[in-house]
Amino acid sequence: MMHEPKIIGFLCNWCSYRGADSAGMARLKYPPNIKIIRVPCSGRISPELVLRTFREGADAVMVLGCHIGDCHYSTGNHRTAKRMPVLKKLLEYTGIESERLYINWVSAAEGEKFATVIKDFTEKISALPPFVETMK
Amino acid sequence: MSDRLTSLHEAIEKVLPDLDGVLALKSGPGGIVSPYLFSKEHPEELAKLAIWPKEPVPDTLKIILRAHPDAKLAIVCRGCEERGIVEMFKHAQLGLDNLTLIGLQCEKDEAEFCRCAKPFTVHAKTIVGQPIEGVADPLTEQVSALSQPEKLAFWKQEFEHCIKCYGCRNICPQCFCNICALEDEKWVETGRLPMAKPSMYHLVRAMHMTAKCVACRECEETCPADIPMAVHFRLIARDVKEMFNYETGADMEQKPPQLLVLEEGEYDRTGLPH
Amino acid sequence: MNVGEVSAWAAENLKDQGVVVARDYKFMCSSLGQELIQKDIKEQGLTRVVVAACSPHLHEATFRNACSRAGVNPYLFEMTNIREQDSWVTTDKEEATKKAKALVAAAVGRVAYQKPLESLLVPIDPNVLVVGGGIAGIQASLEIANSGQHVYLVEREPSIGGHMAQFDKTFPTLDCSACILTPKMFDVGNHKNITMLTWSEVEKVEGYIGNFTVTIRKRARDIDEELCTGCGVCWEKCPKKVLDNVFEAGMGNRKAVYVPFPQAVPKYPVIDRENCTYYLKGTCKACEKFCPTGAIKFNQEDQILTVKVGNIILATGYDLFDSHRITQYGYGRLANVFTSLEFERMSNSAGPTGGKIVQRDGKTAPKVVGIVHCTGSRDKNYHEYCSAICCMQSLKFAHLVKEKTGAEVYEFYIDMRTPAKTYEEFYHRLLEEGTHFVRGKVAEISDAVRLPGEEGKLIIQVEDTLTGNQLRVPVDMAILSAGLESRHDAKIVARKFGISCSADSWFIERHPKLDPVATMTDGVFVAGACQGPKDIPNSVAQGAAAAARVLSIIGQGEIEIEAATAIVDEVTCVGCKQCIASCPYQAIQYLEDKGKAYVQEALCKGCGTCVGTCLPKSISLKHFTDEQIVAEMIGAMKVMKSFELMEVA
């Protein structure tokens, strides 16, 4: 059963948030499900924030940052790349679909990639049952 | 007296005169075993030296060292406890300069009780008992072999029993923070049992154990609801080893990988998109 | 999107979140809109402001200033993006309206937790570091030094001058490159405000805008600079000839003790230890024997210098594309295939052939010459970008060949790109000079004879795309107009200075149009070809521009730095040092006496990686606290959930 998933996206200020702006400037269309929260760096996102977002009823969480090597803070996103895969594994071990946590890198110039990523991901998540249902 | 206990007795007697004390287990009234600081003033107390059941000695060590940072001590530690001490050292919670490690090697039945992969010490210069190889962890294998819905059902049921006594946190040799994220309402809801799902308490705790859990299984032992939470920690430890080649408590210098920049080849093992 | 509906909804539904007034106004960023906000702040006693409009990257500063003018701390303002990230990307108007409501609720939820912050003012050290002594670095150094500020100019090679010193003539005016460059080099060398550090490299950069501490390795020259007069006896007497792969591009020799070219600045030579007989065999020391001032000092040690500067300009230049990589062009295999830099040296009257254009045998003048554009550029196998200078450089080559040898010249080009003042005129001049222009990408250069008349020639195989004919053009000499690429170690240098590189390893400017010489790291500027391929006038312009930016910062005397920095709660910090390891900037210190972590505010750039690491959450990032982010998330989630419930009902 398809549903309208609730998605929270944590986007770094310098690359991914600007990438989302680029998608807008190019008037590329994508589903409205994602609500973007701007953070300075994807490295700012702690596992607690992601888990709390799920706890609040989000069907999925996206963490998007600068490409590895292009981080505005030099290597902040390296920590994202090491922290988030572990959290994905933990979700998997707990029986939660690990694809509900999505990590990727979108540069300021990649508006098109941003729109595609959001489109594909929203579609994928809407095919999963609502998260709160699975928690009942 | 068992051979191992006799050798331990001898090992302690040998170092005791030169030290302010030796931290080990002592059998008390009613046969209750607890950590005890043996001193040269009362060598006769060593008659009450005990080995089993194991109790979290490193925790006690930390308390003593906070009050007496310059004390010259020895500690009798099993493999897991040694790992605990190494991690505390790496987290600047204690110094090793004045500390002598007496490594107590676990026996097969003890290792099986703990489902321990490394029932031996690696840093201690003085060794008591024969090191044996790790044993299998059937429970972890069993749980990780479950399908996704089965896993979800399994853990839902386990966490449903949690009464949030915080016992697992309190006994953990690695939970040395002054305040705890698990007591912060932003992360863990208060005043509700059974806990809301997903269990923020257990998931946040599992994340905090990343590259930190020393696999002593004290948490499971102390849990009044018998929640096998160390299964999560064990599985994550395997991932951390595979992805970042890091083993908790093994190396004195190596820093926890999630703090550091990516090394050559690590990114490919994280499974993240290119 | 129905903005009116969103505003009415917010006024009604977010009342209990503290919303006093919600307005819908089309041009909120205009002065009228800003006045509206200021009026509301004053009349209604507002303590927080949320604007839902375009991207904060466009107008966050505008609204922060407006709030500030009305007495509300700029950090008590929050902006949410309902244009680029909502109305422009959502097809369904009703859905866009709903999304805007969720975003507004998120911002309102967040703003309640925001705290006033004051920016820190730090004094600016007026000294400046310029890295790279090519024409861009020279220009930047002179501009700054002439204004009275002190410059440390660090250059990796033994002399400043860069690529420009290697060229013969400059396009399109055909000025002699050395004639216009060397006076500037001389000025740098003799300027009282410039400390020139050649044969040196930056090892480490610490600090932040206004207060950088730079560690420089001044490599041992084996020459006492106090005693050396630059008389040249040492390199005259040195018995060891070495193929000069750097300055002479492998076309000529130098000695083991050498200055790269006669007009080198500084005048002091260096001893090349890898080739010096004394260092290889332990004997010789001819230079030492003949030096009239006793300036040769074998086994000198590298010096490590530490300098304090307030701003840094990177002008590290480019590397030439290695033409060996295109094997079908035969460079390195076919003797008479030359690179552009080899041709520059050959054409230069001070160069290895004394300015004669000759084939690899060193004597035969070519009768037919082919010039191949876009070698390594505009090619998906090598570099997709246009190297910007090759068309003009190739036209210059054609002119020089014609002038010096009278040979027939063929130019093989994909597109002719001459977009600057008097460049197109130069192209026309070449057309009139009788150069043959063939539009097509060269497929192959070979010496395999297939047709009569090809014996002993190089055959350039190309499709003339204007006529559609396959051509085989026999030539005596082929010149590959090699493209520019970023320095091989650009990524390492970028990391050292805390700036970013593009996929092609060019340094990234702060804004491609409006801020072309600044970088995302305050106090670090870029100039010249390290930022992307460019010609001499553009490099000079950037050098001067970067200098102007730096001087304007120095003029301010002090500068505001990021207020949203991390801060440690000393009461709860357990001193586990995890944040220290995770900081990309070494901004966190361990206070031994207290056993606590401490953030040096001026070093903190506000990424928050430490916060993501700290288990007890004893460290927090101002303006991006957990409370603020969680409140923002809950704000959005609540609205999404309420719409879901309405749909179910």
Side-chain angles (χ1 to χ4, degrees):
Chain A
M1 188 197 82
M2 302 289 268
H3 72 112
E4 284 300 334
K6 302 180 284 298
I7 303 174
I8 293 287
F10 294 107
L11 272 62
C12 82
N13 181 37
W14 305 97
C15 293
S16 303
Y17 191 91
R18 284 169 186 242
D21 280 354
S22 302
M25 284 184 261
R27 307 298 196 276
L28 302 171
K29 304 296 181 223
Y30 57 81
N33 305 59
I34 184 171
K35 307 295 177 288
I36 293 170
I37 292 179
R38 184 165 67 125
V39 289
C41 177
S42 59
R44 168 64 187 86
I45 297 306
S46 58
E48 290 89 342
L49 280 171
V50 174
L51 289 168
R52 176 67 203 267
T53 307
F54 281 121
R55 171 67 200 94
E56 212 52 44
D59 292 294
V61 176
M62 303 182 92
V63 177
L64 303 180
C66 307
H67 286 272
I68 299 294
D70 292 340
C71 180
H72 176 74
Y73 301 104
S74 162
T75 53
N77 61 358
H78 282 229
R79 279 76 178 184
T80 315
K82 296 177 101 171
R83 209 182 276 151
M84 290 301 153
V86 176
L87 181 52
K88 272 175 84 81
K89 287 280 187 186
L90 176 66
L91 296 180
E92 183 192 322
Y93 298 146
T94 315
I96 297 169
E97 300 89 343
S98 67
E99 58 263 43
R100 291 186 188 273
L101 171 58
Y102 181 89
I103 322 296
N104 207 338
W105 322 107
V106 176
S107 80
E110 289 174 332
E112 212 162 313
K113 176 175 177 180
F114 179 80
T116 312
V117 158
I118 302 297
K119 244 183 280 176
D120 294 352
F121 185 66
T122 310
E123 204 170 298
K124 200 167 154 190
I125 295 302
S126 51
L128 293 179
F131 181 66
V132 286
E133 294 295 318
T134 68
M135 282 298 133
K136 277 185 181 152
Chain B
M1 208 186 251
S2 76
D3 286 354
R4 210 166 36 137
L5 190 54
T6 314
S7 328
L8 182 61
H9 200 288
E10 285 165 9
I12 294 176
E13 271 184 335
K14 213 160 116 191
V15 294
L16 193 54
D18 302 324
L19 299 172
D20 295 325
V22 175
L23 190 57
L25 294 180
K26 183 181 156 216
S27 178
I32 290 176
V33 166
S34 57
Y36 189 77
L37 188 67
F38 293 95
S39 66
K40 55 189 163 202
E41 285 75 24
H42 298 286
E44 73 285 355
E45 288 180 328
L46 279 174
K48 294 258 174 90
L49 185 68
I51 288 185
W52 191 262
K54 72 173 183 138
E55 289 294 330
V57 201
D59 239 15
T60 314
L61 175 70
K62 191 186 67 198
I63 295 166
I64 296 173
L65 285 179
R66 272 193 188 168
H68 305 281
D70 298 325
K72 280 187 77 173
L73 303 176
I75 182 169
V76 176
C77 54
R78 292 170 182 268
C80 54
E81 292 163 343
E82 187 193 65
R83 294 192 287 277
I85 291 167
V86 169
E87 286 303 316
M88 283 201 235
F89 165 72
K90 282 158 69 171
H91 288 78
Q93 299 303 303
L94 49 79
L96 292 177
D97 292 348
N98 291 327
L99 189 65
T100 308
L101 302 178
I102 300 173
L104 179 64
Q105 311 308 307
C106 295
E107 288 179 346
K108 189 130 192 282
D109 54 332
E110 293 168 347
E112 272 167 0
F113 178 81
C114 293
R115 317 196 300 269
C116 184
K118 290 181 190 166
F120 46 81
T121 60
V122 291
H123 298 286
K125 300 253 162 43
T126 312
I127 282 182
V128 174
Q130 285 303 313
I132 57 161
E133 283 192 11
V135 298
D137 180 356
L139 182 63
T140 299
E141 303 311 330
Q142 217 177 304
V143 175
S144 69
L146 296 175
S147 70
Q148 181 250 319
E150 285 170 342
K151 272 186 199 141
L152 187 60
F154 175 85
W155 287 110
K156 266 191 206 168
Q157 201 190 358
E158 290 295 341
F159 293 152
E160 186 102 1
H161 297 153
C162 176
I163 56 165
K164 265 192 7 187
C165 67
Y166 285 79
C168 51
R169 181 207 58 184
N170 291 352
I171 201 140
C172 178
Q174 293 308 304
C175 285
F176 41 67
C177 297
N178 293 330
I179 52 155
C180 178
L182 300 177
E183 291 179 50
D184 184 333
E185 272 195 82
K186 275 195 298 298
W187 316 128
V188 180
E189 241 174 336
T190 55
R192 182 170 166 180
L193 276 181
M195 278 187 261
K197 297 183 198 81
S199 164
M200 288 294 286
Y201 180 92
H202 288 282
L203 294 182
V204 168
R205 198 170 122 74
M207 281 312 288
H208 283 206
M209 285 296 116
T210 306
K212 223 179 166 200
C213 173
V214 295
C216 64
R217 268 192 78 254
E218 294 289 355
C219 48
E220 288 186 1
E221 269 311 287
T222 208
C223 178
D226 263 342
I227 301 171
M229 52 201 111
V231 166
H232 268 148
F233 311 156
R234 169 68 60 89
L235 290 171
I236 286 178
R238 280 184 200 171
D239 292 327
V240 170
K241 166 89 172 103
E242 258 168 51
M243 289 186 212
F244 311 123
N245 197 23
Y246 181 85
E247 282 179 81
T248 310
D251 189 300
M252 293 274 190
E253 303 299 325
Q254 212 183 352
K255 291 205 174 85
Q258 73 274 25
L259 308 179
L260 307 174
V261 297
L262 287 158
E263 297 288 333
E264 192 74 38
E266 279 183 348
Y267 187 83
D268 296 333
R269 297 195 293 271
T270 60
L272 292 177
H274 275 276
Chain C
M1 160 191 316
N2 188 338
V3 181
E5 186 187 324
V6 177
S7 132
W9 176 89
E12 185 54 35
N13 289 271
L14 300 175
K15 236 187 252 169
D16 58 343
Q17 311 273 314
V19 171
V20 175
V21 52
R23 284 192 198 283
D24 163 23
Y25 185 71
K26 213 165 189 131
F27 304 105
M28 201 55 95
C29 58
S30 71
S31 55
L32 287 176
Q34 293 183 49
E35 279 162 23
L36 201 61
I37 293 173
Q38 288 167 309
K39 194 162 153 259
D40 278 339
I41 290 175
K42 286 191 180 133
E43 287 178 3
Q44 318 232 20
L46 305 179
T47 55
R48 300 281 193 287
V49 176
V50 168
V51 169
C54 61
S55 171
H57 283 290
L58 286 171
H59 279 303
E60 189 174 47
T62 313
F63 294 117
R64 277 185 172 180
N65 288 338
C67 289
S68 198
R69 283 195 297 272
V72 168
N73 183 285
Y75 288 88
L76 298 178
F77 163 78
E78 179 61 16
M79 190 162 183
T80 190
N81 186 339
I82 59 167
R83 190 176 75 169
E84 282 86 346
Q85 296 183 7
D86 186 2
S87 74
W88 282 358
V89 292
T90 314
T91 329
D92 186 303
K93 189 170 172 180
E94 203 175 317
E95 286 297 330
T97 308
K98 278 190 196 169
K99 185 173 180 180
K101 288 176 187 171
L103 292 174
V104 169
V108 169
R110 180 192 212 284
V111 83
Y113 287 91
Q114 283 172 206
K115 298 231 165 72
L117 297 177
E118 297 301 330
S119 300
L120 198 66
L121 285 174
V122 296
I124 299 288
D125 188 316
N127 294 342
V128 183
L129 172 74
V130 177
V131 184
I135 186 59
I138 287 175
Q139 186 69 30
S141 300
L142 286 175
E143 300 280 1
I144 294 167
N146 286 341
S147 84
Q149 306 300 345
H150 196 86
V151 176
Y152 295 96
L153 173 59
V154 175
E155 166 60 48
R156 172 145 71 185
E157 296 297 327
S159 168
I160 59 168
H163 280 107
M164 191 177 166
Q166 292 170 284
F167 300 158
D168 177 27
K169 298 282 192 291
T170 56
F171 59 74
T173 49
L174 301 173
D175 295 313
C176 146
S177 188
C179 311
I180 56 176
L181 175 67
T182 46
K184 276 183 179 286
M185 290 166 60
F186 180 82
D187 286 350
V188 169
N190 289 287
H191 208 296
K192 67 176 182 349
N193 289 333
I194 297 180
T195 305
M196 201 171 50
L197 298 161
T198 52
W199 203 236
S200 303
E201 278 186 77
V202 173
E203 294 232 308
K204 197 166 72 179
V205 181
E206 292 166 298
Y208 48 92
I209 181 167
N211 297 276
F212 292 105
T213 303
V214 184
T215 311
I216 300 164
R217 176 177 292 270
K218 191 166 187 294
R219 287 154 68 196
R221 276 189 128 92
D222 289 336
I223 304 293
D224 186 331
E225 291 174 18
E226 295 292 314
L227 300 175
C228 177
T229 61
C231 68
V233 169
C234 54
W235 65 82
E236 260 168 45
K237 299 292 180 188
C238 175
K240 183 70 179 277
K241 269 190 190 167
V242 182
L243 185 68
D244 185 354
N245 276 319
V246 180
F247 190 81
E248 295 292 2
M251 295 286 289
N253 296 322
R254 57 166 170 81
K255 297 294 185 63
V257 55
Y258 71 103
V259 291
F261 52 102
Q263 307 84 354
V265 173
K267 60 196 172 189
Y268 323 116
V270 294
I271 292 181
D272 165 13
R273 291 189 183 182
E274 273 170 30
N275 289 298
C276 168
T277 312
Y278 167 71
Y279 283 104
L280 292 174
K281 298 191 179 141
T283 56
C284 180
K285 291 196 174 183
C287 50
E288 193 183 51
K289 266 172 240 151
F290 287 100
C291 176
T293 61
I296 305 283
K297 299 285 179 221
F298 284 108
N299 299 314
Q300 221 178 30
E301 278 182 14
D302 290 1
Q303 274 175 278
I304 304 292
L305 309 172
T306 308
V307 299
K308 296 221 172 249
V309 298
N311 289 279
I312 295 171
I313 297 174
L314 294 177
T316 51
Y318 66 92
D319 279 343
L320 197 69
F321 173 78
D322 178 6
S323 300
H324 287 101
R325 290 175 60 194
I326 311 183
T327 48
Q328 65 270 31
Y329 284 0
Y331 177 66
R333 177 165 50 85
L334 304 173
N336 288 316
V337 178
F338 290 79
T339 66
S340 39
L341 200 57
E342 283 178 330
F343 181 82
E344 291 283 2
R345 293 311 303 150
M346 186 154 67
S347 177
N348 194 312
S349 55
T353 58
K356 283 204 199 81
I357 311 281
V358 285
Q359 285 171 230
R360 199 69 78 169
D361 63 11
K363 46 184 194 281
T364 319
K367 293 193 184 65
V368 188
V369 175
I371 301 171
V372 180
H373 290 225
C374 299
T375 302
S377 311
R378 303 187 70 199
D379 183 332
K380 290 207 164 175
N381 298 307
Y382 308 101
H383 298 302
E384 266 194 80
Y385 56 79
C386 167
S387 286
I389 55 110
C390 329
C391 281
M392 286 302 291
Q393 152 182 289
S394 304
L395 293 175
K396 175 184 78 178
F397 293 166
H399 171 84
L400 293 172
V401 168
K402 197 119 203 152
E403 185 181 69
K404 294 192 176 190
T405 66
E408 289 281 298
V409 182
Y410 288 85
E411 295 253 1
F412 302 96
Y413 68 101
I414 308 179
D415 294 295
M416 191 54 74
R417 297 188 165 177
T418 55
K421 201 164 91 175
T422 68
Y423 284 13
E424 183 71 6
E425 289 86 332
F426 189 67
Y427 173 35
H428 281 276
R429 174 173 169 187
L430 265 291
L431 284 170
E432 279 160 25
E433 280 179 9
T435 307
H436 308 290
F437 286 89
V438 179
R439 185 175 181 276
K441 168 104 177 147
V442 169
E444 187 191 33
I445 302 174
S446 97
D447 57 355
V449 178
R450 270 206 261 145
L451 303 171
E454 292 182 352
E455 296 85 358
K457 300 272 188 184
L458 293 173
I459 323 304
I460 296 179
Q461 170 95 40
V462 63
E463 182 189 333
D464 182 339
T465 55
L466 294 181
T467 63
N469 290 328
Q470 275 290 334
L471 304 181
R472 285 173 67 80
V473 182
V475 299
D476 301 311
M477 174 189 277
I479 304 166
L480 305 181
S481 202
L484 313 189
E485 58 186 23
S486 50
R487 286 279 189 201
H488 59 280
D489 57 352
K491 283 214 155 75
I492 300 169
V493 173
R495 208 166 299 142
K496 214 176 264 180
F497 290 89
I499 64 169
S500 325
C501 283
S502 67
D504 295 311
S505 290
W506 302 110
F507 296 155
I508 297 181
E509 63 281 5
R510 187 180 275 260
H511 191 284
K513 295 170 192 76
L514 302 180
D515 212 349
V517 296
T519 67
M520 283 293 183
T521 300
D522 292 334
V524 178
F525 297 84
V526 290
C530 60
Q531 179 260 357
K534 55 181 62 64
D535 57 14
I536 293 167
N538 279 320
S539 297
V540 171
Q542 278 207 337
R549 292 295 307 275
V550 166
L551 289 173
S552 95
I553 292 172
I554 295 172
Q556 292 162 32
E558 49 184 16
I559 195 157
E560 234 182 63
I561 58 165
E562 184 57 62
T565 50
I567 184 161
V568 175
D569 179 349
E570 273 202 13
V571 177
T572 62
C573 172
V574 73
C576 70
K577 298 188 178 177
Q578 307 295 288
C579 54
I580 298 176
S582 75
C583 176
Y585 297 100
Q586 288 100 44
I588 310 177
Q589 268 182 323
Y590 183 68
L591 303 175
E592 290 288 346
D593 52 335
K594 293 183 180 162
K596 306 279 179 186
Y598 170 77
V599 178
Q600 292 172 273
E601 250 180 284
L603 288 179
C604 176
K605 302 263 193 288
C607 65
T609 307
C610 52
V611 188
T613 300
C614 180
L615 298 186
K617 308 293 161 207
S618 292
I619 198 162
S620 58
L621 178 63
K622 290 182 231 165
H623 206 56
F624 289 96
T625 64
D626 283 330
E627 283 76 12
Q628 290 160 3
I629 297 174
V630 168
E632 186 174 354
M633 180 271 290
I634 290 179
M637 286 301 302
K638 260 192 189 162
V639 175
M640 283 197 273
K641 284 190 277 191
S642 74
F643 288 143
E644 200 172 52
L645 283 175
M646 275 154 61
E647 261 163 46
V648 173

